[in-house]
Amino acid sequence: MPELKCEGKGIVLAGDIGGTKTLLALYRSSTLELIRSQHYHSGEWADLAPMVEAFLGGDQAEAACFAVAGPVAKGQAQLTNLSWKLDQDQLAKQLGIGQLELVNDFAVLIYGLPHLRDDQRAQIRSGKPNSRAPLMVIGAGTGLGVAFGVQTASGLVAMASEASHGEFAPRTQAEWELKQWLTSEFSLPRISTERVVSGTGLGLLARWLLATQAEPDHPLQLVAADPDSDLPAQVAKQAALGNPLARQALDHWIDLYGSVCGDLALATLCQGGIWLAGGTAGKLLSELQAGGFERGFLSKGRLAAVLESIPITAVIDPTIGQFSAACRARMLAA
């Protein structure tokens, strides 16, 4: 049976563009049903346009959104780890797509949040969201991404953020000692929140405990000494097996993550809800649901009451970037 061609009307194009790999996909705009998708090695292409043309192969789309691994300003983007310089107006002309937009690859998640299915999310804490209030997505992966969504008459508008690069503010004597150790260990003039609250940060918490509390033969010492090892993953694994030091590192990290979410929620009054994305949301879901994250989140003294109504949801779909770009493309088509 010959393959049916997509003739544009009711079809949107979504892209998740990274320095290493790019994922392109076509969706039916009415149902957000995935029609087909394809992975590409970004470095094998001189630019995005020829890659998209090869993917479309004669198919058409009425709108497109590309999530880009880097900052986007005035419709232009320079990828962080790739030589491509993208311009959304130029791309629209080259591809013959009437509505096309470039969005930062973390900020784009805002557009997917209202459309998540049950299998794409998991509840961390219940609440009563205010549908008119801002919302926030925060994601601890290799780094820490933060973006906000603002409700407007024409729907959600995503706002990128560098909130994760604010100053790490210790709350306890132990956290003060952690900050001093990080400052000395890496010869840094300041310590950002991302340095601690990220997948990398979980590994650094373990290194700090290994350097200050552990015996030389602790099983994680060899892992920490191997530059090719995934120390955060091993910390989570050892914590699940009952290793006290790993358990301490993970509990402390979960508490810090919750506290940072609480601080940002107070700063923005994002009573529309908070979503946890990034690689750790799915990998550490049971830990995030266990109570430590919520305690850190609500530990804001008399301001805890402001946070009580805010629901927190984990985004557990690894293709959420592509899906969110499709949601934004559907908005553009409408």
Side-chain angles (χ1 to χ4, degrees):
M1 185 175 184
E3 181 180 353
L4 295 176
K5 284 292 182 182
C6 300
E7 297 183 355
K9 188 172 179 58
I11 303 298
V12 295
L13 170 64
D16 192 357
I17 305 167
T20 302
K21 64 181 181 180
T22 291
L23 180 62
L24 300 176
L26 289 174
Y27 285 80
R28 300 193 190 282
S29 59
S30 60
T31 59
L32 291 173
E33 174 193 356
L34 176 64
I35 299 172
R36 61 182 178 88
S37 63
Q38 180 70 46
H39 276 95
Y40 293 89
H41 295 289
S42 305
E44 295 178 357
W45 297 81
D47 201 354
L48 177 61
M51 178 194 291
V52 175
E53 288 171 342
F55 170 71
L56 289 174
D59 286 346
Q60 298 175 354
E62 62 179 329
C65 176
F66 297 107
V68 181
V72 178
K74 297 180 180 179
Q76 297 180 326
Q78 169 68 66
L79 270 72
T80 303
N81 297 311
L82 201 62
S83 61
W84 296 355
K85 293 182 179 180
L86 305 179
D87 182 297
Q88 65 186 31
D89 292 337
Q90 183 178 349
L91 276 169
K93 291 178 181 178
Q94 286 179 283
L95 299 173
I97 298 176
Q99 298 291 329
L100 186 149
E101 187 174 69
L102 302 177
V103 184
N104 170 264
D105 64 345
F106 200 83
V108 78
L109 302 184
I110 291 293
Y111 296 118
L113 299 179
H115 306 289
L116 292 177
R117 303 182 306 271
D118 289 345
D119 63 331
Q120 294 175 293
R121 61 189 179 187
Q123 182 177 286
I124 302 299
R125 74 181 303 267
S126 60
K128 296 181 179 179
N130 178 347
S131 62
R132 297 183 179 181
L135 50 87
M136 177 174 74
V137 58
I138 181 168
T142 303
L144 181 66
V146 182
F148 303 98
V150 178
Q151 304 286 353
T152 71
S154 57
L156 271 175
V157 174
M159 299 180 64
S161 167
E162 295 293 349
S164 64
H165 295 287
E167 192 78 19
F168 168 53
R171 303 166 297 166
T172 64
Q173 180 63 32
E175 289 178 12
W176 173 252
E177 293 171 3
L178 166 63
K179 185 171 185 176
Q180 297 309 300
W181 181 84
L182 288 168
T183 301
S184 174
E185 185 74 10
F186 296 98
S187 301
L188 294 170
R190 66 184 291 272
I191 303 298
S192 70
T193 298
E194 182 182 62
R195 183 76 62 171
V196 180
V197 181
S198 60
T200 302
L202 175 56
L204 291 178
L205 271 165
R207 290 182 188 277
W208 167 58
L209 293 175
L210 288 168
T212 58
Q213 298 184 22
E215 298 296 327
D217 60 348
H218 190 281
L220 285 176
Q221 293 283 14
L222 287 176
V223 180
D226 181 359
D228 296 323
S229 67
D230 187 344
L231 181 57
Q234 288 301 313
V235 171
K237 179 179 179 180
Q238 290 296 319
L241 294 173
N243 182 281
L245 184 141
R247 184 74 261 170
Q248 183 182 353
L250 184 56
D251 286 348
H252 202 154
W253 184 85
I254 292 287
D255 175 58
L256 279 166
Y257 193 2
S259 179
V260 167
C261 279
D263 288 342
L264 292 174
L266 289 175
T268 57
L269 293 179
C270 51
Q271 292 170 321
I274 295 173
W275 280 261
L276 308 183
T280 57
K283 294 175 183 176
L284 296 177
L285 179 60
S286 62
E287 298 287 349
L288 292 167
Q289 293 173 323
F293 182 92
E294 183 175 22
R295 285 192 294 273
F297 176 73
L298 293 175
S299 184
K300 303 300 172 189
R302 65 183 185 277
L303 272 300
V306 178
L307 305 179
E308 281 287 355
S309 66
I310 301 177
I312 302 178
T313 307
V315 181
I316 57 176
D317 181 357
T319 64
I320 185 62
Q322 166 194 309
F323 177 79
S324 299
C327 292
R328 178 55 178 168
R330 182 168 77 164
M331 291 176 68
L332 295 173

